[in-house]
Amino acid sequence: MSEPTSREKRPARWWLETTADGGKSLERISIQNLPFRIGRGDDLELTLPFQSVSKHHATLDLEEEDAEPGVDPRLKLRDLESTNGTFVNRKRVTEALLEEGDILHFGEFEFRLGRQLAEDDTGDVTPEGGTLTLGRLELSQKFVGGTRELNDLIDNDRTTVVFQPIVSLPAGNVVAYEVLGRGLHEDLPRSPKGLFRVAETIGRADELSRLFRRKAASLLAEARADLPLLFLNTHPSEIGEPELVESLQEIRERVPDVELALEIHEGALAEPHVIAELKSHLDELDIRLALDDFGLGERFLQLAEVPPHYLKFDMSLVKDLVDASSSKRRLLSMLMAAAREVGAQPIAEGIETEKEAGVCVMMGFTLAQGYLYSEPASLADVTGAGADSDDTLEQPAEEVHEKCEESRQQ
């Protein structure tokens, strides 16, 4: 009988951990027989018998023998061209060297990698040998599904954009549009909120955000439409990254004559030096700065450091303003005063009724946005070129109000 190799002599040091009993306890799976094969097949070290997992999904093995001398080799994860992907810390990989505490996903199923000490004999780790099969109810459900479809959506540009008007008060004339991204993948939500929820788990939210802006620029350049000021959106992960400015430069080259404003979330004020640098680039590109969801956080004191051109007051401040207490109205008046103090023009978001619009006029708002004026519509409808489109700007009031609750989720 041949002498065991040095690899076979090494004690088992690693385990996979997942939740069991509806999240009340942990299941620890010892990684002993190497390579440790994972998939839907019956004769693997770990079988996950579900369609989101490929028959032969991934393997775990020790890194090559030429690893640093005197240092325990790490585990190496290799994806076997699986359909739904293998992820390390929510980033899709084909190969990766692993560290203790890494979060692994095979398809939709989540595990944490742990190191088992040689002297640890607590009995809470599954013994070596054979196949361990885990049922769906024993697995963590924290990971968001739809990653394969989201990758397809981004890689094949299965998106579009719609336009929602911003109007002047009290007249209601359209003075600008906010450009909103939408998905066109049949197995994914259409709304950006649902799409970004999936994109964030695989580290592609910034790409999706840039894709929406590029789509808008492409449509505008092709249509050569004469539109007023357009508000473009960002994702928080883009702030401070060079790709954001590069994407804006590309857009400005494609639509040099279109008035643009860039919306960033109020939370970005936590790093005023980053916003100051961004605003400098925006000035060079003749793009204005808008602060979105204003009033949700505690950053209004930072407004003076990097004053935006526009402040979009979150719909939670506008909702039910007709019956609001005097203290809520005083708070809104203070925020309005802060906006004017730094030279920012306030915009009331989420206007749904004529009464809300009237109160906003009384409070001093001169700009507003919401389903009272229109739901988001296609560029063809906005420019009057899509009379036969299903996505019309004008809809009966009852249809508009039916969609108000949906709009709160977008």
Side-chain angles (χ1 to χ4, degrees):
M1 184 173 179
S2 61
E3 180 70 13
T5 65
S6 59
R7 175 174 294 193
E8 293 170 336
K9 288 181 178 180
R10 294 191 182 104
R13 293 182 179 274
W14 299 95
W15 41 258
L16 291 173
E17 180 179 69
T18 190
T19 56
D21 302 325
K24 297 178 181 179
S25 61
L26 293 175
E27 178 84 37
R28 287 184 176 178
I29 304 155
S30 178
I31 302 172
Q32 299 214 22
N33 291 339
L34 297 174
F36 187 89
R37 301 164 300 166
I38 302 162
R40 202 174 66 244
D42 294 331
D43 58 346
L44 308 178
E45 281 67 39
L46 177 59
T47 295
L48 304 172
F50 304 105
Q51 288 302 312
S52 64
V53 178
S54 296
K55 185 174 181 180
H56 296 94
H57 197 104
T59 63
L60 290 166
D61 206 346
L62 294 178
E63 64 179 316
E64 286 72 12
E65 291 292 346
D66 57 357
E68 186 178 347
V71 177
D72 285 340
R74 289 181 293 174
L75 279 182
K76 187 173 188 178
L77 173 66
R78 179 179 288 108
D79 179 76
L80 300 178
E81 299 183 355
S82 63
T83 300
N84 288 320
T86 299
F87 298 78
V88 177
N89 299 323
R90 291 181 166 78
K91 293 185 178 180
R92 189 166 186 166
V93 300
T94 55
E95 289 188 357
L97 289 175
L98 303 178
E99 302 286 350
E100 182 179 6
D102 281 344
I103 304 298
L104 311 182
H105 289 92
F106 308 106
E108 64 185 290
F109 299 126
E110 180 177 75
F111 296 86
R112 182 170 58 196
L113 183 67
R115 179 182 290 273
Q116 177 187 349
L117 299 178
E119 63 273 13
D120 182 10
D121 189 22
T122 60
D124 60 349
V125 179
T126 59
E128 65 174 304
T131 295
L132 177 67
T133 301
L134 293 183
R136 181 178 296 277
L137 296 179
E138 295 176 305
L139 292 171
S140 168
Q141 298 297 311
K142 296 178 182 178
F143 188 58
V144 178
T147 56
R148 180 184 62 169
E149 293 80 3
L150 195 283
N151 284 323
D152 179 48
L153 178 143
I154 294 177
D155 295 339
N156 295 294
D157 190 9
R158 300 177 67 175
T159 64
T160 189
V161 292
V162 291
F163 299 75
Q164 185 172 39
I166 297 172
V167 305
S168 63
L169 293 177
N173 299 321
V174 176
V175 296
Y177 288 95
E178 180 178 356
V179 183
L180 301 163
R182 294 290 187 267
L184 296 179
H185 197 291
E186 61 276 9
D187 296 322
L188 287 172
R190 183 172 169 83
S191 74
K193 181 177 180 180
L195 294 175
F196 277 114
R197 181 168 177 258
V198 180
E200 287 165 358
T201 67
I202 57 174
R204 302 195 72 178
D206 55 341
E207 294 180 70
L208 180 59
S209 184
R210 291 194 294 272
L211 181 59
F212 284 144
R213 291 195 299 271
R214 284 199 302 271
K215 175 63 72 173
S218 297
L219 291 177
L220 292 168
E222 182 178 346
R224 300 182 181 277
D226 184 17
L227 291 174
L229 174 66
L230 299 179
F231 285 72
L232 303 176
N233 282 287
T234 60
H235 186 270
S237 64
E238 296 185 273
I239 304 302
E241 298 298 322
E243 289 82 2
L244 172 57
V245 175
E246 291 169 4
S247 73
L248 296 174
Q249 291 170 338
E250 177 186 345
I251 290 172
R252 180 47 84 200
E253 290 173 1
R254 300 202 64 182
V255 287
D257 300 323
V258 177
E259 290 186 88
L260 299 174
L262 186 73
E263 292 190 24
I264 64 174
H265 190 270
E266 180 194 46
L269 291 177
E271 299 182 281
H273 63 286
V274 174
I275 304 307
E277 182 178 355
L278 173 61
K279 190 168 185 292
S280 177
H281 289 297
L282 294 179
D283 290 341
E284 293 174 2
L285 296 170
D286 192 23
I287 298 177
R288 303 173 202 176
L289 178 64
L291 200 65
D292 194 20
D293 298 328
F294 183 66
L296 286 181
E298 303 173 353
R299 300 294 180 184
F300 58 88
L301 293 178
Q302 279 82 26
L303 284 177
E305 298 185 48
V306 192
H309 297 91
Y310 301 95
L311 278 179
K312 301 188 76 173
F313 281 68
D314 186 74
M315 65 175 62
S316 63
L317 293 175
V318 176
K319 179 177 169 55
D320 301 325
L321 195 56
V322 174
D323 301 317
S325 63
S326 58
S327 59
K328 180 176 180 177
R329 292 196 183 191
R330 283 197 301 271
L331 173 62
L332 189 56
S333 295
M334 292 170 57
L335 294 175
M336 292 276 289
R340 295 193 182 92
E341 183 66 26
V342 299
Q345 194 165 1
I347 302 174
E349 290 190 294
I351 303 299
E352 299 176 358
T353 67
E354 292 287 358
K355 288 184 177 181
E356 286 179 347
V359 174
C360 285
V361 171
M362 293 175 56
M363 298 293 296
F365 281 102
T366 57
L367 295 174
Q369 179 179 359
Y371 269 64
L372 172 64
Y373 309 106
S374 173
E375 67 170 300
S378 68
L379 180 60
D381 286 328
V382 166
T383 58
D388 296 329
S389 171
D390 292 333
D391 298 323
T392 57
L393 273 173
E394 300 296 333
Q395 289 198 15
E398 60 270 19
E399 293 184 20
V400 171
H401 290 302
E402 284 177 3
K403 296 187 178 182
C404 287
E405 285 303 313
E406 178 184 345
S407 71
R408 297 186 193 282
Q409 302 301 319
Q410 301 179 16

